[in-house]
Amino acid sequence: MKEINLNMAKGKMVLSFDQTKRARFGILPRYAKDDVQIRWFELPNCYIFHNANAWEDGDEVVLYTCRFPDIDLEMASGPVRKRLGNYRNELYEMRFNLNTGEASQKKLSESAVDFPRINEKYIGRKQRFVYGTRLDSLAKVEGIVKFDLQLEPEVGKEQIEVGGNVKGIFQFGHGRYGSEAIFVPRESDVELEEDDGYLICFVHDENTGKSEVNVIDAKTMSSEPVAVVPLPARVPYGFHAFFVTEV
């Protein structure tokens, strides 16, 4: 409590990242009646903002998430123009074995990727594709990356590029930044392939001061959007959204 008060007095965040600790993950059975049933697992220290999905695979719970090995929370709350530099955030697979109590993790991408989304029909179920944002800074999204979880990442890369488990990248272009991409099936109430649909996101052009909605082909990740909808006013940079078929 004393440390929190000191941080507040200095105008700093009340929270800080402790690099000396290990990361702990709690798994609570879906129909648990109290917290005694939580199973705790440990992995190397990290910080996580956003998960993609998780499901049960035999004795294991599998989690796909975007992982920071460490994080400066003061930097995270600072000016949006500050570039990432050595600020790493990567897609990971984590496995928690409910039988043995062991946990493991596997790196699936280079930096920096976050705000992962999926075809929400597969929430809590095994799925194949993750659509993450490619970050230019902590609050600026420069493109959308499609990952195939059935493929292995290419070794030796220093940045996110097409190849291996990266099936496609949609770049917004110079001076253009966007939001996370929401997956919308091509048709509703019809059995389709998991990636048969569209990715919808906001894009703001800092060169012109104009904003628009981009509709991207989620299957092909073509550089040509399916549709571009100009907006009458600027949409500020944001993080999260959802799609509804009617209002």
Side-chain angles (χ1 to χ4, degrees):
M1 192 66 184
K2 180 179 179 182
E3 183 178 350
I4 291 176
N5 291 333
L6 287 173
N7 284 342
M8 292 177 66
K10 295 177 182 178
K12 295 184 177 181
M13 294 187 67
V14 297
L15 302 177
S16 61
F17 183 77
D18 188 343
Q19 299 184 9
T20 67
K21 306 291 186 182
R22 286 179 62 82
R24 301 184 74 221
F25 295 81
I27 296 180
L28 182 67
R30 188 174 304 166
Y31 302 109
K33 298 185 181 301
D34 55 57
D35 60 3
V36 175
Q37 294 178 263
I38 295 178
R39 295 286 304 278
W40 290 100
F41 299 83
E42 289 192 355
L43 283 172
N45 202 0
C46 67
Y47 188 91
I48 293 171
F49 277 121
H50 304 103
N51 299 316
N53 198 14
W55 62 80
E56 295 172 89
D57 183 13
D59 292 331
E60 295 182 316
V61 172
V62 186
L63 170 68
Y64 287 90
T65 188
C66 292
R67 173 189 183 276
F68 291 87
D70 57 67
I71 185 170
D72 182 344
L73 293 174
E74 292 291 336
M75 177 180 169
S77 63
V80 298
R81 293 184 180 276
K82 194 163 186 177
R83 296 181 64 86
L84 287 167
N86 295 324
Y87 209 61
R88 292 182 294 143
N89 195 15
E90 299 142 343
L91 184 66
Y92 265 74
E93 175 192 89
M94 298 179 176
R95 289 181 171 267
F96 307 96
N97 192 303
L98 299 174
N99 184 37
T100 65
E102 296 179 347
S104 63
Q105 63 181 23
K106 177 181 178 182
K107 178 182 169 182
L108 299 180
S109 82
E110 297 306 318
S111 189
V113 60
D114 207 339
F115 309 109
R117 298 297 293 256
I118 65 170
N119 180 339
E120 294 187 358
K121 178 180 178 181
Y122 292 85
I123 289 178
R125 300 167 50 201
K126 185 175 183 178
Q127 39 81 218
R128 179 174 179 179
F129 299 107
V130 171
Y131 307 93
T133 59
R134 185 176 183 178
L135 300 178
D136 173 76
S137 71
L138 291 177
K140 286 190 175 182
V141 173
E142 62 181 14
I144 305 298
V145 185
K146 179 181 181 180
F147 294 97
D148 186 337
L149 303 181
Q150 292 184 2
L151 300 177
E152 292 295 320
E154 287 190 348
V155 178
K157 289 192 173 183
E158 296 183 356
Q159 62 182 0
I160 298 173
E161 300 173 335
V162 173
N165 63 348
V166 178
K167 297 297 292 180
I169 301 175
F170 183 90
Q171 287 290 121
F172 295 135
H174 176 70
R176 291 164 53 87
Y177 302 97
S179 65
E180 67 178 352
I182 312 303
F183 182 91
V184 179
R186 182 171 53 83
E187 296 182 50
S188 59
D189 302 322
V190 177
E191 286 298 321
L192 301 170
E193 292 184 319
E194 182 185 330
D195 62 346
D196 192 356
Y198 308 101
L199 300 172
I200 300 179
C201 57
F202 290 109
V203 178
H204 178 67
D205 191 330
E206 294 190 349
N207 305 297
T208 64
K210 296 181 179 180
S211 294
E212 61 194 32
V213 173
N214 278 202
V215 181
I216 306 165
D217 188 326
K219 181 176 285 290
T220 67
M221 296 296 289
S222 170
S223 60
E224 294 295 325
V226 175
V228 175
V229 183
L231 299 174
R234 179 192 171 185
V235 176
Y237 297 128
F239 296 139
H240 307 300
F242 64 95
F243 179 83
V244 294
T245 57
E246 60 183 33
V247 293

